[in-house]
Amino acid sequence: MSQTIATSPSIHLGTDYIGKPTSRVDGPAKVTGAAKYAAEFNVPGLLYGYIVSSPIAKGKITKIHAEPVLTLPGVVRVFSHENVPSLAWFDRSYKDDVAPGGSPFRPLHEPKIRFSQQPVALVVADTFELARYAASVLEIEYETEAHDTDLETKRDNGYEPARGKLGWVPPPPPRGNSNDAYHNAPHQHEAEYIHLAQHSNPMEMFATTVEWLNDGQKMNIFDKTQGAYNVQSYITKVFGLSKEEARVISKYTGGGFGSGLRPQHQVFLAVLAALDLQRSVRVSLTRQQMFSLGHRPHTLQYLKLAADDNGALAAVQHAALAETSRFEDFTENVVNWSGMLYQCENVKLDYQLAEIDANSPIDMRAPGAATGSFALESAMDELAYKVGIDPLEFRLLNYADRDQNLKKPFSSKKLRECYHQGAAKFGWDKRTPKPRSMREGNWLIGYGMATGVWDATQLNASAKACFDADGRLTVSSASNDIGTGTYTIMTQIAAQTLGLPLEAVTFVLGDTNLPEAPVQGGSMTAATVGTAVQAVCRAIGEKLLKLAQQMADSPLKGANFEDVQFVNGQIRRNEDTKQSVVIRDILPAAGEAQVEAETSTLPDLLKQSHYSLHSHNAVFAEVKVDEDLGTVHVTRVVNAVAAGRILNPKTARSQVLGSVVWGISMALMEESMMDHGFGRYMNHNLAEYHIPVNADIHNIEVILVEEEDDIVNPLGVKGIGEIGLLGVAAAIANAVFHATGKRVRNLPVSIDKLV
Amino acid sequence: MSQVSHALPTRPSVSLAPTQAVTLRINGQDHLLQIAPWTTLLDALREYLDLTGTKKGCDHGQCGACTVLINGKRINSCLSLAVMQQGEEITTIEGLGTEEQLHPLQQAFIDHDAFQCGYCTPGQICSAVGLISEGRARTEDEVRELMSGNLCRCGAYTNILNAVMEVVRNELKTGS
Ligand code: FES
Ligand code: FES
């Protein structure tokens, strides 16, 4: 069964909000411009810092001519490695919660240049215009060293990373004998799949406003981040501050997609300047400087797949070589999915890194999986053609009912339903298998499909709740809302748990003065923070029940928490719902102003340990390719997603719609082109780094497949921020092959590769 | 190894153009500013007037996040200097509606979930206001094309289209 999604204003009867399409509670603030992002806190006496970026990729700074710039009236300071005060000494102080192995980059730490566009100085002035001008005329001399930024030349220099970051799992050991199985199988396919680096480029550029508070050394740090606590822990360790001295606030984040998981250098620079000058300071990146941040790494993948005459997979070999920096081992799960998505006894997976002179990569929406799934799902399509089976049929034939990597069953897996519902809605049965067999005039038509899988994760989180005598509930946790809908779904969970109208509930996030929550990433926020919010509201409910039982002639006397329900503003007995107390009456009757609770929740690891926890999807795409010009239009996409319980179909659908746009972008447009002569991304702006515009997007349909799961977490949610992206690029590349007979294994599928 | 030098071949001159008085009429109100002549309209709004609803996504006319209306016409405010807009009627997102009294497009954006992070949203809405008053867009394809100067990295295009179409259709109904 698929859920129907209303796009009209949501009308609710009662207080059952979970699973109902609900408009964003932060919508009014966002559409009126009232929502304030990091660079928008115009505190009095603000100074502006402008970053100077290195024009060379490798070498060292030999001289910084700061004096002429400092004579400009209104220029306050030029910070560089020459004058930065001594800070924390050990690498571990610079390691944030999600740092990869190695030595994190330390801004303005030393004259050494490790990557092009590395921040080398910060010019601070009274106005933004002056800081920008002064930065443009700051003369810096460098000594260059030969750099190497080309992964293609590193095919023999790969190494297996010994250490990874949070969430990285080394490939499982080989099973069976994939070499023999491959050679003995009647149908074989091997090929290399490639994509260059890609940059997240959220619309809001990275920025920090530090508000210097005159009571002591205290600062409010308004930062663009996906994790306020992660930034606070980094800042306090690096600058030797207490938590009270460095409050990090991030109420609205203009997109993240992974780029805000780690503290970025603007927050370091803004805090450095504020501490030194004892003033409020703002530092914003330019769009060009956004390309100095981490990126999805340039990755080369080699796939070998074999099948028998019936289409059963005989062997899977998937090897990846990804770039990393010279100072950190950035790792992501690229190949592991190929050992679990299909049933196969003979599997060998390899993952290697090679160092280049660039900044460390960083997670970018569905990190690793987006890369791996493109290669695996393209290769599956190619092998299906060799065996002579329909690509959907081929996947159903090799459906995995157990996770063979972990040797465990799935906690739930409604991928079959995704295939069936998606294919039916798309009209897959109208596809004629032969390439170039479908056309409309000059348009070659192609149908392609692919599959995706992503982790369902829950981490530890805390939440606080306060219910007051006038019937208002405030729930808080230092999570984030990067556009994912956190504000809204947490409000829904809280309102339903306590049977309150949505309007009576406020959810607060993005502030280190609130209970701790992990970074917003990995599609784990709904499960992680949602569980904490539900638990803390239950704790409030228990307190309210106790007080209600003390009311004169209380109909709830003697009832346990399990015997009652919180619905429509009342606590009612389950067996006789007329026996009820109005929740708003409880505190006034008890003479209390408010009740409070704080709770921490953690995953039930024991229960989870017997299962493999994942979300799945099936994507079907239609492309039209102009036979003469090679232009590709993605005219239809159907994305069927099984991601556990859907808390809010309205915002969940938007997440998947956005993911499809990302998939179209990855398939047809995105690439950060490195000029190896300069060691720099040459298309570092939004005119030349292509992403879709409105006219590029046509019909997208989202199916949220019903999936129940009481193992992943109490709410049964798996998260939906990344799963929708998986399979999209491969489905489009497969559709392009079906349309044109041309197989493009080197993303993006651009015109020059088709004509 | 070689020596390279960044920035100007000669030392920078230390002379700066003086600031000047500029009067801007924004959302029906006059504002007097003392700013450097090279201050963009976008920075004047965000940094000097605390009208931060207008967003900066590139500062180069490549994204549309900074879209405002000048005498009802949409422009990228990062590509205009503030001094060039003296005497013009400037409308920003703050001038279209308030949280209590939303403009029909603002309401439509909420109803259709036409945004995620919300950062491109004020620009999209201002652009849609300009588009509708241009009277050129009637069909979905036209709206898609004529809203293509406003990037949305969250990929909310489908819902943006639906929100704008709802208002376009209403306008066509009542206008004709
Ligand atoms: S900020 Fe003006 S177009 Fe991007
Ligand atoms: S809503 Fe995030 S960029 Fe458009």
Side-chain angles (χ1 to χ4, degrees), chain A residues 7 24 48 129 282 654 692, chain B residues 47-48 50 111 113 117 157:
Chain A
T7 48
R24 281 172 207 265
Y48 290 82
E129 290 72 30
R282 172 174 306 149
S654 292
Chain B
E47 307 300 338
Y48 295 87
D50 204 27
D111 294 344
D113 207 33
C117 77
Y157 295 125

Side-chain angles (χ1 to χ4, degrees), chain A residues 392-470:
Chain A
L392 172 58
E393 190 58 37
F394 186 45
R395 286 171 172 85
L396 284 164
L397 264 173
N398 291 289
Y399 196 85
D401 285 304
R402 285 171 68 80
D403 178 343
Q404 287 181 289
N405 282 355
L406 295 177
K407 304 185 179 62
K408 288 176 188 176
F410 293 98
S411 63
S412 58
K413 180 177 174 179
K414 293 277 186 242
L415 177 57
R416 251 195 207 101
E417 286 70 7
C418 294
Y419 287 139
H420 291 140
Q421 292 180 24
K425 180 133 235 169
F426 182 81
W428 184 254
D429 56 349
K430 299 194 183 62
R431 178 182 190 266
T432 55
K434 231 168 101 48
R436 302 179 71 90
S437 63
M438 294 168 74
R439 67 156 69 222
E440 270 171 28
N442 209 37
W443 294 104
L444 301 167
I445 314 279
Y447 286 5
M449 58 86 54
T451 305
V453 54
W454 184 250
D455 301 314
T457 311
Q458 184 197 348
L459 298 180
N460 302 358
S462 305
K464 196 163 84 183
C466 177
F467 182 70
D468 61 34
D470 60 10

Side-chain angles (χ1 to χ4, degrees), chain A residues 203 205 686, chain B residues 42 55-67 76-79 149:
Chain A
M203 283 315 295
M205 298 181 290
L686 289 179
Chain B
L42 175 60
K55 306 302 182 194
K56 186 186 278 191
C58 70
D59 223 4
H60 282 67
Q62 298 170 341
C63 76
C66 63
T67 306
N76 288 333
S77 61
C78 69
L79 290 186

